[in-house]
Amino acid sequence: MADEPEHVQKYYQLLQIKANDRDFEPQTSDSTILELVSYYESNHNQELLKQVYYYAARTYISLQDATLAEEYFEKALNVEGSLSNSQIHWWMGDLYRKQGLYDMSIKSFHQAYEGEQPEDSIEQMIDLFALGNTYREMERYDSCIHYMQETYKMAKSQKDSSLMRTSSAAIADVAIKYGRYDYARNLLGSRLANVLNSKDGDLLMTAANLYVKIGQRDSAYMIYQRLAGLPLTKRMKRDVYKDLLSLNLKRGNVAEAYDDLLHYEHFDDTVHKDDLSATLLKMRSVYDYRIREKRNEELKIANEHKKLWIVSISTLLLLVLVSLLWAINHYRQKQVILKFKVKKKDELIAHYLQKNKQEKETERQTIEQSDIYQIITVAIRQGEHLTEDNWQKLDKTVNTVFPHFNARLAELCKMSQHDNHVCLLIKIGIQPKDIANLTDHSPESVSSTRRRLYQRAFGKKATPKDWDNVILSL
């Protein structure tokens, strides 16, 4: 190939880029495509120049530079050639949608649809589906249903079963939001019977949501378990564990709910970090674009420094703003979790207060008749501390008499070994002054520990007695 004329070599490079794009191979550099842009701009081959501009835009999408991608799409539209403008408009619409520029996205998808030839029925269906999907992201559900129904009609006439399934599932998802559960069920049809064998994340999420709404929580639970094992996006994983958390709480599965909460917090934090990274990439994209513009226009050094200073300050301010917004959102998420804990605490205390005297008396007698309680009583009288073996026996006895005590305690906050020992002793009714002797701490230290644990768990100050009430309710 090195011995071939330049125009043959350049055309071969273009074919390689087209093949990679067709195979969804992401571009890692813009060096080759920029060489082709320069070459075809200078030799006035309009047909190939239009293609080069288009694949330059596709390259910058891979490089997450939306600004340059949009610029090259616009250039491609302004050049005559056999490459369909509808195809360019479609990718511009998808680019705008991913940036949240929905009005521009809708306009581009309409332009794509209107520019299709009558015989291009497959492309028309894809355009209609893209419009419906964009309206769904905008939460304009009436428009979403309209375009999804149009997609379904065309797909049915063309016997495109794949697009029929996809569009009907999208309509079902919207129908659920409107409370039309029977309609959604009919749309999903026989796929519900075999849904657990599906790997389609969107279908599974729609089915699970439907089952939750119609009260079939066991079916929803199995589907969410299936979803948890699939390679979904981080946002979908977050939503799955959020719904699993809710279901496990309603089922009384406290330990599983705690695991779901941990997974939810992990994916929620990851999504926020990804959002922040995406914002920073967009900022970097704008920055790089301005640098390239300055280099191409060969501005004077003084002007370059001035513009670089402006860009740097703007980037810094935007970074501070984005970081602040992320911190605010993270704080709100923490507040939601704290509210959940406080609500759960109130429910547990209320349940404890409603216990009949006989049940409480039985628990007290069981504890006081245990070997470890007798050991503790002797240790209190003799001013001794408990051994590690004693602490293990106490832990085992408490969790036997009060099932899931450790799991419920772990839901509240992280604890040191000393914190855990204090809580175990509170649970069996040991007085604070005796807890201090048994743990080799001062009474003031034990009081401070109880106040600190309450604030750590619920985000506000309270008395040591308030923490005792929480422990007694577990």
Side-chain angles (χ1 to χ4, degrees), residues 5 10 12 19 24 28 51 83 94 119 160 189 192 207 222 237 253 292 298 309 317 326 372 377 388 443 451:
K10 296 301 181 186
Y12 178 73
F24 300 102
T28 57
Q51 295 183 38
L83 180 65
D94 190 63
E119 63 270 21
D160 188 331
L192 281 177
M222 288 189 291
K237 282 284 191 180
N253 298 335
R292 279 193 292 268
E298 298 180 344
W309 182 83
L317 291 174
W326 180 86
I372 187 60
T377 303
E388 182 60 31
R451 280 193 296 269

Side-chain angles (χ1 to χ4, degrees), residues 11 71 77 84 89 104 128 143 232 247 301 337 356 358:
Y11 185 67
E71 177 183 334
L77 288 172
S84 168
H89 281 303
M104 297 172 69
L128 290 169
S143 297
L232 307 176
L247 287 173
I301 298 298
I337 293 172
N356 58 57
Q358 181 61 43

Side-chain angles (χ1 to χ4, degrees), residues 276 279-280 283-284 286-287 290 307-325:
L276 179 60
T279 302
L280 293 175
M283 292 163 54
R284 180 58 190 235
V286 174
Y287 175 84
R290 292 183 180 181
K307 289 187 177 181
L308 278 171
W309 182 83
I310 292 172
V311 169
S312 299
I313 293 299
S314 299
T315 301
L316 180 60
L317 291 174
L318 284 171
L319 179 59
V320 170
L321 177 61
V322 169
S323 299
L324 179 61
L325 290 174

Side-chain angles (χ1 to χ4, degrees), residues 315-357:
T315 301
L316 180 60
L317 291 174
L318 284 171
L319 179 59
V320 170
L321 177 61
V322 169
S323 299
L324 179 61
L325 290 174
W326 180 86
I328 291 172
N329 190 61
H330 187 69
Y331 171 78
R332 288 175 178 171
Q333 292 289 335
K334 293 295 183 184
Q335 290 302 111
V336 169
I337 293 172
L338 283 175
K339 287 180 180 178
F340 167 76
K341 288 182 178 179
V342 169
K343 181 180 178 182
K344 189 66 178 176
K345 179 258 301 181
D346 292 339
E347 291 174 354
L348 288 169
I349 291 176
H351 176 73
Y352 174 75
L353 294 175
Q354 290 172 3
K355 274 187 177 181
N356 58 57
K357 292 182 179 180

Side-chain angles (χ1 to χ4, degrees), residues 8 40 69 92 103 163 177 199 235 264 281 432 437 467:
V8 175
Y40 285 108
M92 290 182 74
D103 289 340
L163 202 51
K177 290 179 171 62
K199 295 182 180 179
R235 291 180 187 276
Y264 168 78
L281 282 172
N437 292 330
W467 180 249

Side-chain angles (χ1 to χ4, degrees), residues 238 263-273 329 333:
R238 178 186 65 180
H263 281 98
Y264 168 78
E265 289 181 329
H266 166 71
F267 285 108
D268 189 58
D269 287 343
T270 303
V271 167
H272 287 308
K273 289 176 184 176
N329 190 61
Q333 292 289 335

Side-chain angles (χ1 to χ4, degrees), residues 212 217-218 220-226 228 239-264 340 344 347 404 408 411:
V212 168
R217 291 175 182 164
D218 289 343
Y221 183 79
M222 288 189 291
I223 295 174
Y224 282 127
Q225 291 281 19
R226 167 71 170 158
D239 294 340
V240 166
Y241 282 109
K242 179 182 178 182
D243 292 334
L244 271 175
L245 169 61
S246 176
L247 287 173
N248 271 318
L249 287 174
K250 291 174 181 177
R251 291 158 66 100
N253 298 335
V254 178
E256 289 86 348
Y258 179 66
D259 287 340
D260 296 333
L261 178 61
L262 294 179
H263 281 98
Y264 168 78
F340 167 76
K344 189 66 178 176
E347 291 174 354
H404 309 301
R408 290 172 178 170
E411 288 179 9

